[in-house]
Amino acid sequence: MVSRRVALTAVVVALLLLAGCTAPTPPPDVANGGEIEGEEAPTDEEPATDADRDAADTESHPDLDLDEDTVWNEVTTMMDSDAPQPDLFVDEMPAGADQAFEPQQSEFQAALNATESSPGGNGTSGLAMPGNVYVFPDGPDEEVEQVLVHEYAHAIQYADGMFASWLRSPPETTDEELLQTSLIEGGAVYVADEYTAENFPEFPAQSEQMAASYEAAPAGDRLLLAPYHYGAEYVHAEIDNAEELPEVYRSHPVTTAGMLDPDSQPPATDLDVDVETSDSDWSVERTDRKGELYTRIVLDTELSNDEATDAAAGWSDDELVAFEDADGQDAFVWTTQWETEDDADAFAAAFESKLDSRTDNWADRTAVERPDDRTVSVLIGPDEFRSAVNTTMTNSTVDLDLGTTTAAPALTAPAHSAPTSATGAAAPVSS
C-alpha cells in the first residue's frame, strides 16, 4: 500500500521551524486598506547582532508612529505572557523572505485549473521569526499597529511553546499543513482583533479584512489566504479572550474538516489506496491528503462559493497519488471518500460541472469514476494513462492497477506516406 506522505517545501518547513508569518500585499483591494498575511518565509539569516539592534533602535523605530514597547506590553498582558520582547525592524527584508510572498502553486493545482493569481496591491505587511519582527508599513497607522500586534502574537506563540509538538513533527499532508497554519495564523488574527476592539474599535478588525480579501481572491491566492480567514473564524468560536489562546493548541481538530465544522467533525476514514505499477511505464512520485478546505477552494474556481462549500462539506477522506513517466509527463489519481452516498453524488456532480465550464488543456485529460457509492476518483493525465487505470474496490481498499500503458505501435505506413516515429508512440502531451 502506498504510504500517505508528501514532500514538504522549504516554505512549509520554515513555517513551523521559525514560527512566523509573512504578509503578502493583498491581491484584491480591501476596504480601509486591510492587511493580509501569507505563509512563513524560509531564511538563511544569522541571528541579530548588537549592530542590527542598534540600527533598529536608531533608524527603524522612528519610521513608525507608535511606541513599540507600549504595544508589546499590552500584547503580553492580553496573552498573559512574560516572553522576551523581540527586536523590531522596519522596511527590512530578511534573506529568503521574498519566496513566501508567492502564492502556492503545483502541477496538480494547474490540473485543477486552480493557479490563477492576482497582482499584489498596496498594504502593510509583516513577518515574525524567533527574536525578530519585521514590519513593512504601507497603510494607515491603525493598520500598521494591527500588523505589529499580529507579529508580536507570533513571537509569543513561539516563545511560550504553544505549538512545540508541531516543531518535532512537521506536517505530512496538505490537509495537516493547512490545519496547523490556520491555527497559528488564526490565533494571531484573534489577538489583533482583540487589540483593535480595545484601542481603535472604529477600524475594521483584521479578521474582517482577511474575509474580504479571501472572498475576492482567485484560487491561487485563496490557498495562501485561507488559513488567516478560516483560522480566525475557528479561534473566535473557541475562546473568549487572548489569554485562552494556548487552549487552541492543546485540543484541536485533526483535519480541516473538523476546523470548518467543529460540531460535526467525524474522523477521517483512513482511506486505503493500493497502487500496482509493475507492468506500467508510470511510477508513483508522491502521495498526499488534500482535505476539505483544499477541496472547497479548488471547486470554487468555476462554482459559486456556496456550491463549492456544499459539495465539499461531506468530505471524509482523500488520497492523491501523483505519477510520472520516463518522459516526465505528470498524471494524477485523486480518490475522495464521502460520509454518505449523497455527499459523494454531490461532489461528483460539482466536479463534472466544474469540468464542463473549463477550456484549459487539462480539462480534456480529466475523467471522473465511482469505485463505489461513497467513493469518487478523479483521473488526470494523457489518454494512455487514463485508459490504463483500472479502479476497483476490495473490501474497503481502493485498488489502482495501471496495467500496461505503453502506447501501441503504429501501423506500417504506405510508401508515399510520411514516416512514423521510430517507436510509433504517440507524442507526449505537454503538461
Side-chain angles (χ1 to χ4, degrees):
M1 182 175 68
V2 178
S3 62
R4 179 179 278 125
R5 294 181 295 109
V6 58
L8 300 178
T9 65
V11 171
V12 176
V13 174
L15 169 67
L16 293 175
L17 294 182
L18 300 177
C21 69
T22 63
T25 51
D29 293 329
V30 180
N32 299 302
E35 177 263 348
I36 303 302
E37 298 229 352
E39 284 197 340
E40 171 66 11
T43 180
D44 299 322
E45 73 167 13
E46 298 296 325
T49 63
D50 290 340
D52 292 331
R53 296 184 178 91
D54 290 343
D57 289 339
T58 60
E59 298 176 8
S60 297
H61 297 173
D63 294 337
L64 298 182
D65 189 18
L66 54 79
D67 183 337
E68 71 277 2
D69 294 335
T70 299
V71 175
W72 172 258
N73 290 335
E74 183 168 349
V75 175
T76 55
T77 298
M78 289 166 50
M79 299 180 69
D80 191 25
S81 174
D82 58 1
Q85 184 172 353
D87 294 311
L88 175 61
F89 299 87
V90 179
D91 285 329
E92 297 184 43
M93 180 77 76
D98 56 328
Q99 299 177 41
F101 288 80
E102 297 298 323
Q104 298 184 43
Q105 306 288 8
S106 73
E107 195 65 15
F108 180 61
Q109 278 176 241
L112 296 176
N113 196 36
T115 57
E116 182 185 356
S117 180
S118 295
N122 296 325
T124 299
S125 58
L127 181 146
M129 297 177 180
N132 294 334
V133 161
Y134 301 82
V135 173
F136 311 95
D138 188 12
D141 291 343
E142 295 92 341
E143 177 184 287
V144 175
E145 196 162 343
Q146 278 184 334
V147 173
L148 179 59
V149 170
H150 184 114
E151 305 309 334
Y152 276 167
H154 279 313
I156 294 170
Q157 285 174 321
Y158 183 85
D160 289 356
M162 292 188 190
F163 46 87
S165 63
W166 295 346
L167 304 180
R168 296 189 292 269
S169 179
E172 294 185 340
T173 69
T174 295
D175 190 47
E176 189 176 0
E177 173 203 337
L178 282 171
L179 173 68
Q180 293 183 2
T181 307
S182 296
L183 299 184
I184 292 170
E185 298 302 341
V189 173
Y190 180 94
V191 174
D193 283 356
E194 185 172 308
Y195 183 96
T196 300
E198 180 65 29
N199 290 277
F200 31 89
E202 74 288 346
F203 197 78
Q206 195 171 78
S207 59
E208 295 174 358
Q209 300 168 33
M210 297 293 182
S213 284
Y214 175 84
E215 292 299 329
D221 294 323
R222 284 192 174 192
L223 285 164
L224 191 71
L225 301 172
Y228 300 85
H229 171 40
Y230 290 109
E233 282 191 347
Y234 174 81
V235 175
H236 269 283
E238 293 296 307
I239 63 177
D240 296 320
N241 57 70
E243 186 176 336
E244 298 175 353
L245 187 57
E247 296 296 328
V248 170
Y249 308 100
R250 295 191 187 109
S251 177
H252 57 78
V254 296
T255 66
T256 57
M259 179 187 72
L260 293 170
D261 188 1
D263 293 331
S264 60
Q265 47 172 309
T269 55
D270 196 19
L271 176 66
D272 286 335
V273 178
D274 278 346
V275 182
E276 176 57 58
T277 60
S278 57
D279 295 326
S280 169
D281 297 330
W282 297 84
S283 59
V284 176
E285 291 299 299
R286 62 185 176 88
T287 66
D288 191 10
R289 173 190 282 167
K290 308 308 284 186
E292 181 178 335
L293 179 54
Y294 184 97
T295 303
R296 178 188 296 189
I297 293 170
V298 298
L299 286 176
D300 206 4
T301 53
E302 284 79 22
L303 307 179
S304 70
N305 182 261
D306 287 344
E307 289 173 326
T309 298
D310 291 343
W315 180 93
S316 186
D317 203 355
D318 72 70
E319 182 154 319
L320 170 70
V321 183
F323 298 88
E324 187 176 62
D325 71 357
D327 294 325
Q329 293 188 101
D330 293 304
F332 309 93
V333 177
W334 186 26
T335 303
T336 62
Q337 204 155 68
W338 301 86
E339 293 180 43
T340 68
E341 181 178 349
D342 287 344
D343 292 325
D345 290 343
F347 171 76
F351 199 92
E352 292 280 10
S353 176
K354 171 184 168 72
L355 273 180
D356 289 343
S357 61
R358 287 169 54 182
T359 58
D360 57 289
N361 291 335
W362 280 106
D364 292 333
R365 291 180 275 167
T366 302
V368 177
E369 295 188 356
R370 297 290 295 271
D372 75 359
D373 290 343
R374 292 177 48 243
T375 307
V376 182
S377 291
V378 177
L379 281 57
I380 306 174
D383 290 344
E384 64 268 24
F385 173 84
R386 300 194 319 277
S387 63
V389 176
N390 184 28
T391 306
T392 57
M393 294 288 295
T394 304
N395 297 323
S396 60
T397 298
V398 179
D399 297 309
L400 301 180
D401 189 344
L402 267 69
T404 303
T405 59
T406 303
L411 297 175
T412 303
H416 62 272
S417 298
T420 60
S421 65
T423 63
V429 179
S430 171
S431 60

